[in-house]
Amino acid sequence: MAKSVETNEGANRAREPWKAFQARQRNSDTKRDAVLQTAAHLFLEHGYRRTSMSELGTRLKITKPALYYYFNNKEEILVECYRLGIAAIEELLDEAAVSHGNGLNKVRAYVEAYAKAVLTYDFGRCVAMLDDAELSPKARREVRDLKRKIDMAIRSYVEEGIRDGSIAECNVKLASFALAGAVNWIGTWYRPEGELKAEDIARQFADLLTQGLGGSDRKPAVGKRVRAGKG
Amino acid sequence: MAKSVETNEGANRAREPWKAFQARQRNSDTKRDAVLQTAAHLFLEHGYRRTSMSELGTRLKITKPALYYYFNNKEEILVECYRLGIAAIEELLDEAAVSHGNGLNKVRAYVEAYAKAVLTYDFGRCVAMLDDAELSPKARREVRDLKRKIDMAIRSYVEEGIRDGSIAECNVKLASFALAGAVNWIGTWYRPEGELKAEDIARQFADLLTQGLGGSDRKPAVGKRVRAGKG
């Protein structure tokens, strides 16, 4: 954990919304929280389908009736994991909106915070990684409505950036999908024991996705943005 | 299909490697091809696990013994879908390497071609979308080795771009993951009946991912690349 002061400052600033969120969570039922945390972990490790209520009970060392006291079925648990993850991501979006300048800065702040959520927070990773096609139509609709709110918020920052000149004209929907896709995909390759720290990955993703790859000798043909809708 | 000459030219140029690949495919067994194409479609539509050999036989209107003449089991079919998808993607990578100038241009050409593969070619989409964790350890190792070759090729283009100055200093591994993630994710949201054409999506993804979002009034704090490894 030997990090430079600069990194720590950045990390602490970005972690603040989590702290507030997690503090509120602590007021709720601790056992219920343990069920959710263990379930999220198992869903991510073995997949939702391959995780059974029996296995969850065994892991938690509680009886099946005790488990069913909290949740009627596995789907209810998954929906709650999504809800917690999406609620946390929404706080990050709000945080990105209030404390940063232009549209591009908001998008950058959001990408960094969202990447950190996928990298370090199991419920955040559930939102990115688990397939909501596993849910019943009603539950799926609920989860997708929640996800859509996030997508709409990102789009609004991109639109703001286009208006204030910090973001080049582009198809806002595609930009939002490209950002979300790159970050969601982190869950497929990231290993906490790997060489790269979550903070560094999040920062570099935010750089790459907002600034692009371009170096010092960009050729005009590449440097010039192709306007949305052309061709 | 009313497209401008410019778009057609671009699309034809990018489609050439597919044509060569598909022509060679035609020399192989047509019935075996039909099995693979129908299987890929079902895997993508319902998931690998939920697709049974019986269902596949019914769709193809062939008996189970006829189906088992071509493949010993479902896993063999999935591995072959991956192989075809990855072989096609490798051709796109080679095509990007030979006909484009600097490293950034190669990356751009590759992102556009790969996005098109995920958007329009079922075997390409299999590579992006299907979870290789479903495979047995031996088959999974084979598929992951193939995928790694693709990843290594992209990294080599990014490295080339850093050397020739067309790409800014960055963590090459993270850049490759960000590009692949954004493109692979296309499979989760793209609907062929939607308003956007595959060609336009592919081109705009290539723009966004290589040029970034930045507009005309970038602030220096955002415009300045944070060097890899800093902090």
Side-chain angles (χ1 to χ4, degrees), chain B residues 27-136:
Chain B
N27 297 330
S28 66
D29 189 320
T30 326
K31 266 195 196 155
R32 187 174 178 275
D33 288 354
V35 172
L36 288 166
Q37 272 161 18
T38 306
H41 185 78
L42 288 173
F43 293 161
L44 290 165
E45 200 176 351
H46 306 306
Y48 171 70
R49 189 179 283 260
R50 269 168 286 191
T51 302
S52 67
M53 288 292 264
S54 313
E55 192 187 351
L56 185 52
T58 309
R59 273 289 180 112
L60 286 157
K61 297 193 177 68
I62 61 174
T63 61
K64 260 196 160 184
L67 184 55
Y68 281 96
Y69 169 78
Y70 293 104
F71 297 96
N72 288 315
N73 51 52
K74 198 171 72 166
E75 178 167 287
E76 269 190 25
I77 302 179
L78 178 58
V79 170
E80 190 60 21
C81 290
Y82 275 121
R83 267 199 217 109
L84 288 170
I86 291 171
I89 293 164
E90 283 190 300
E91 296 215 8
L92 298 175
L93 273 167
D94 293 343
E95 149 81 359
V98 293
S99 67
H100 299 86
N102 61 27
L104 183 62
N105 286 344
K106 287 182 188 174
V107 171
R108 200 203 170 287
Y110 172 69
V111 169
E112 183 165 359
Y114 181 37
K116 213 173 287 175
V118 173
L119 284 157
T120 60
Y121 184 58
D122 273 351
F123 299 123
R125 201 178 304 190
C126 283
V127 179
M129 293 293 297
L130 299 180
D131 185 3
D132 57 24
E134 303 272 5
L135 294 169
S136 65

Side-chain angles (χ1 to χ4, degrees), chain A residues 8-214:
Chain A
N8 266 332
E9 266 173 16
N12 286 341
R13 199 172 51 240
R15 223 180 272 135
E16 272 161 23
W18 289 118
K19 278 190 185 160
F21 186 77
Q22 284 166 339
R24 274 200 306 291
Q25 292 304 111
R26 251 175 249 129
N27 297 331
S28 65
D29 189 320
T30 327
K31 267 195 195 154
R32 187 173 178 277
D33 288 352
V35 171
L36 288 167
Q37 273 161 17
T38 305
H41 186 77
L42 288 172
F43 293 161
L44 290 166
E45 201 176 351
H46 306 305
Y48 171 71
R49 188 180 283 259
R50 271 168 286 191
T51 302
S52 67
M53 288 294 264
S54 312
E55 192 187 351
L56 185 53
T58 309
R59 274 285 181 117
L60 286 157
K61 296 191 179 69
I62 61 173
T63 61
K64 261 194 157 182
L67 184 55
Y68 282 96
Y69 168 78
Y70 293 104
F71 297 97
N72 288 318
N73 52 51
K74 199 169 72 163
E75 177 167 288
E76 267 191 27
I77 301 179
L78 178 58
V79 170
E80 189 61 20
C81 289
Y82 275 121
R83 265 199 219 109
L84 287 171
I86 291 170
I89 294 163
E90 283 190 300
E91 295 214 7
L92 297 175
L93 274 167
D94 293 343
E95 150 81 357
V98 293
S99 65
H100 299 86
N102 61 28
L104 183 62
N105 285 344
K106 287 182 188 174
V107 171
R108 200 203 171 287
Y110 172 69
V111 169
E112 183 166 358
Y114 181 37
K116 214 171 287 174
V118 173
L119 284 157
T120 61
Y121 184 59
D122 273 351
F123 298 123
R125 200 177 307 189
C126 283
V127 179
M129 294 292 298
L130 299 180
D131 184 4
D132 57 24
E134 304 273 4
L135 294 168
S136 66
K138 186 176 166 285
R140 186 162 61 233
R141 214 165 23 246
E142 186 194 333
V143 168
R144 291 194 177 170
D145 283 348
L146 290 171
K147 285 184 179 174
R148 198 165 296 119
K149 276 171 68 185
I150 297 180
D151 185 45
M152 288 301 151
I154 306 172
R155 290 190 204 182
S156 76
Y157 296 163
V158 176
E159 278 161 0
E160 191 180 325
I162 293 173
R163 279 197 306 274
D164 69 28
S166 60
I167 292 180
E169 285 280 349
C170 62
N171 183 303
V172 173
K173 195 157 102 177
L174 288 181
S176 160
F177 283 151
L179 297 171
V183 176
N184 287 337
W185 201 255
I186 291 175
T188 66
W189 55 263
Y190 176 63
R191 299 290 167 266
E193 66 278 12
E195 68 201 49
L196 284 156
K197 297 274 163 294
E199 279 84 5
D200 296 332
I201 296 171
R203 197 191 58 239
Q204 292 188 44
F205 257 64
D207 286 342
L208 283 168
L209 293 169
T210 53
Q211 299 169 36
L213 293 169

Side-chain angles (χ1 to χ4, degrees), chain B residues 199-220:
Chain B
E199 279 84 6
D200 297 333
I201 296 172
R203 198 190 58 237
Q204 291 188 45
F205 257 64
D207 287 342
L208 283 168
L209 292 169
T210 53
Q211 298 168 39
L213 294 168
S216 50
D217 84 333
R218 275 192 193 183
K219 299 284 179 294

